Amino acid sequence: QRVNVTVRSGLAMVLSGSAEPCAQLVVSSIGVVGTAEQNKGHSARFFDVLTAQLGLDPERIVIRFYPLEPWQIGKNRTVMTFL
């Protein structure tokens, strides 16, 4: 419930100056991606899945973590602060 992952396939992308197949994973979360230690663990698991499922070399994958505050996410006609 506290992690959102966005995946968009078929986009034209250049990573490190190359248009070879690559992926960028954007992860936003309230209280789950707030520290380097947390993200190190998340990163390892995401890389395992992405390299296995997409067949990409790890150098062709970038993950961006966005820690969020509860007041930044609207849900059920309010914000997460009040849920």
Side-chain angles (χ1 to χ4, degrees), residues 40-56:
K40 182 178 178 183
H42 298 318
S43 183
R45 289 188 296 277
F46 282 130
F47 268 92
D48 288 346
V49 170
L50 292 172
T51 55
Q53 295 296 316
L54 301 177
L56 294 174

Side-chain angles (χ1 to χ4, degrees), residues 8 10-15 18-25 60 62:
R8 294 184 186 158
L11 297 176
M13 291 178 57
V14 174
L15 179 63
S18 170
E20 291 298 312
C22 61
Q24 175 178 263
L25 177 63
R60 301 300 300 155
V62 173

Side-chain angles (χ1 to χ4, degrees), residues 18-73:
S18 170
E20 291 298 312
C22 61
Q24 175 178 263
L25 177 63
V26 177
V27 182
S28 62
S29 173
I30 297 170
V32 177
V33 298
T35 69
E37 284 302 314
Q38 287 174 316
N39 293 347
K40 182 178 178 183
H42 298 318
S43 183
R45 289 188 296 277
F46 282 130
F47 268 92
D48 288 346
V49 170
L50 292 172
T51 55
Q53 295 296 316
L54 301 177
L56 294 174
D57 189 276
E59 283 90 35
R60 301 300 300 155
I61 300 170
V62 173
I63 302 173
R64 296 169 56 189
F65 293 100
Y66 290 97
L68 300 171
E69 296 296 326
W71 57 266
Q72 293 175 303
I73 302 296

